[in-house]
Amino acid sequence: MSQGYDEMHDAQGNVRAHYAAFDDWLRDTPESEIERKRREAEVSFHRVGITFSVYGEEAGTERLIPFDLAPRILPAGEWRMLEAGLRQRVLALNLFLADVYGERRILREKLIPAELVLDNSEYLSQMIGVQVPGGVYSHVSGIDLVRAGDGLYYVLEDNLRVPSGVSYMLENRRMMARLVPELFARQQIAPVERYPDALLEILREAAPDGIDGPTVAVLTPGAANSAYFEHAFLAQQMGVELVEGQDLFVRDDMVYMRTTRGPQRVHVIYRRINDDYLDPTVFRADSMLGVPGIFGAYKAGRVTLANAPGSGVGDDKSVYPYVPEMIRFYLSEEPILLNVPTWVLRKPEDLRYTLERLPELVVKEVHGAGGYGMLVGPAATRKEIEDFRQRILADPENYIAQPTLSLSTCPTFVESGLAPRHIDLRPYILSGKRIHVVPGGLTRVALREGSLVVNSSQGGGTKDTWVLES
């Protein structure tokens, strides 16, 4: 597989202009000093407790997400294009969600197969006709971008349910500002530190009508969840309570938090638990994580849940191929960001094409996440390919296929020194009365040579992402 697009060097091996200051720093800084800074970062992340629980390993296993000292740098003009495309895409996705739970115009026009939406396991019939505050379903969105060998950006997937990783973006920036302040002094790098304030602002804006000074809380499944550090981090940064389901109760369609001073009403809940577990009286009856009656309070307009239940149908991988059509339909605009060509295996012709080319393609479960439930054909053994073929044949509707993109590479510190490793980018978009796009986002890096899987749950690391302001 070719190395693909090199973020730091052009085809002739020259350093790109936006990496010039970093290149100068590399040449001027002794290797021993760089190594000392790398060790300091690792110790500091351990001390702060920035870990990620890995499912499938021994109970209680927590890993440090590897942090790489070499930043991913984006020039100002490139970022302006990405920001415009992200705003456009998230706006269209929110309009799509409002439509499919309302008038269903896009389904009546047959621009998206109705059964793909209405029979989707992520489509919640309980949300039909619910008045969602401000018409916003996905208050916090994470859109995964990759740059392919042609130098163009593509949207790899949309995350509209409970996108994670923003705490690592914030801590990566703090770490870099402490370790290499001289690089920040040499150039103007767009700040990301306002994210918790912007998040709190859009959550307060989403409060039920007539509420001044709304109480906001972060609802977590608990310390056993892989992203618990992030839940606690965001609650602390926003200055709001971190609660579990057992800390809340519903009375007269209003949600209250148990406190040492007695019950306190909660108006907005940034929930980091999946739809299925939200309310055992409506969804999974065996859920111990949710709050009985909370969905009724939500439908009554007495509490706001962010993101809205049922948002997952908008980021389903079988719906993904239709996002460009959503943009044209709702906004009368051409998509700014490109989709990856996608074969939907519920279609017989797409299934046939994919089965003939499994060793060349990436195949994903439509509800899969975290790098699980996927086949990377070029990196798979013959047995893995044949086993996956049987899984596809048993349930073709559960899969989509895409070409294997040669993701761009960024210089990354490895044992042998600085070497190219494949990366992606997850920018975070906050939707309220206006749309905030955080400059940059979380760059994830596949640390194994040649690997295309960047997910932290699969051994990937992270980098600070710098957007140059001029």
Side-chain angles (χ1 to χ4, degrees), residues 12-88:
Q12 288 71 47
N14 301 313
V15 174
R16 299 184 193 276
H18 54 285
Y19 267 94
F22 177 69
D23 186 58
D24 290 343
W25 178 85
L26 271 180
R27 282 190 280 103
D28 295 344
T29 308
E31 282 186 27
S32 59
E33 178 67 5
I34 291 174
E35 183 56 35
R36 185 188 65 76
K37 289 176 185 290
R38 291 180 65 206
R39 282 199 306 272
E40 185 181 338
E42 186 172 338
V43 168
S44 181
F45 277 132
H46 265 299
R47 190 180 301 125
V48 175
I50 305 175
T51 55
F52 187 96
S53 300
V54 183
Y55 297 125
E57 296 192 350
E58 292 179 32
T61 298
E62 291 199 345
R63 284 187 191 161
L64 189 74
I65 297 183
F67 166 73
D68 187 63
L69 194 62
R72 193 254 182 90
I73 306 174
L74 298 169
E78 195 170 279
W79 175 250
R80 281 194 294 272
M81 179 277 292
L82 292 176
E83 181 179 14
L86 292 164
R87 287 178 186 276
Q88 179 194 61

Side-chain angles (χ1 to χ4, degrees), residues 387-456:
D387 288 349
F388 215 91
R389 184 188 304 276
Q390 298 310 311
R391 289 167 62 179
I392 293 169
L393 287 168
D395 188 12
E397 292 195 0
N398 192 39
Y399 296 94
I400 56 118
Q402 295 173 330
T404 305
L405 299 180
S406 183
L407 307 188
S408 67
T409 64
C410 187
T412 301
F413 287 103
V414 295
E415 283 188 22
S416 58
L418 206 59
R421 291 292 184 267
H422 294 292
I423 57 171
D424 79 350
L425 176 64
R426 175 176 288 182
Y428 296 92
I429 301 93
L430 299 174
S431 299
K433 290 179 180 174
R434 60 192 182 95
I435 297 175
H436 310 248
V437 184
V438 183
L442 180 68
T443 291
R444 300 182 297 181
V445 55
L447 295 173
R448 290 198 310 276
E449 186 174 3
S451 173
L452 297 172
V453 182
V454 298
N455 307 77
S456 50

Side-chain angles (χ1 to χ4, degrees), residues 152-274:
L152 299 175
Y153 282 96
Y154 293 83
V155 175
L156 197 59
E157 61 184 54
D158 305 293
N159 298 278
L160 308 180
R161 285 170 256 191
V162 281
S164 62
V166 76
S167 59
Y168 308 112
M169 174 192 80
L170 294 168
E171 287 291 355
N172 287 353
R173 176 58 54 86
R174 286 182 184 176
M175 183 63 64
M176 288 294 279
R178 202 174 90 217
L179 293 178
V180 289
E182 62 274 22
L183 273 171
F184 287 83
R186 292 183 196 180
Q187 55 202 330
Q188 285 187 294
I189 299 166
V192 298
E193 294 81 3
R194 259 209 84 235
Y195 179 88
D197 293 336
L199 175 59
L200 184 58
E201 179 185 320
I202 65 121
L203 292 173
R204 284 177 169 160
E205 285 174 1
D209 289 341
I211 302 295
D212 292 324
T215 298
V216 177
V218 177
L219 175 59
T220 177
N225 184 265
S226 64
Y228 180 74
F229 165 80
E230 176 157 302
H231 308 164
F233 176 88
L234 288 173
Q236 185 263 331
Q237 291 292 304
M238 288 192 289
V240 304
E241 292 294 333
L242 179 69
V243 296
E244 297 182 29
Q246 62 194 10
D247 300 322
L248 303 176
F249 67 93
V250 177
R251 187 170 61 212
D252 299 329
D253 276 341
M254 289 185 278
V255 180
Y256 294 88
M257 174 170 55
R258 294 181 172 90
T259 77
T260 54
R261 300 178 304 279
Q264 180 184 355
R265 188 168 168 202
V266 180
H267 306 99
V268 183
I269 297 173
Y270 178 34
R271 50 101 179 194
R272 297 295 296 257
I273 70 174
N274 293 335

Side-chain angles (χ1 to χ4, degrees), residues 106-108 110-120 346:
I106 201 166
L107 304 185
R108 289 205 309 273
K110 295 184 166 43
L111 296 176
I112 299 178
E115 67 275 12
L116 197 64
V117 174
L118 304 180
D119 296 342
N120 195 300
R346 60 193 294 277

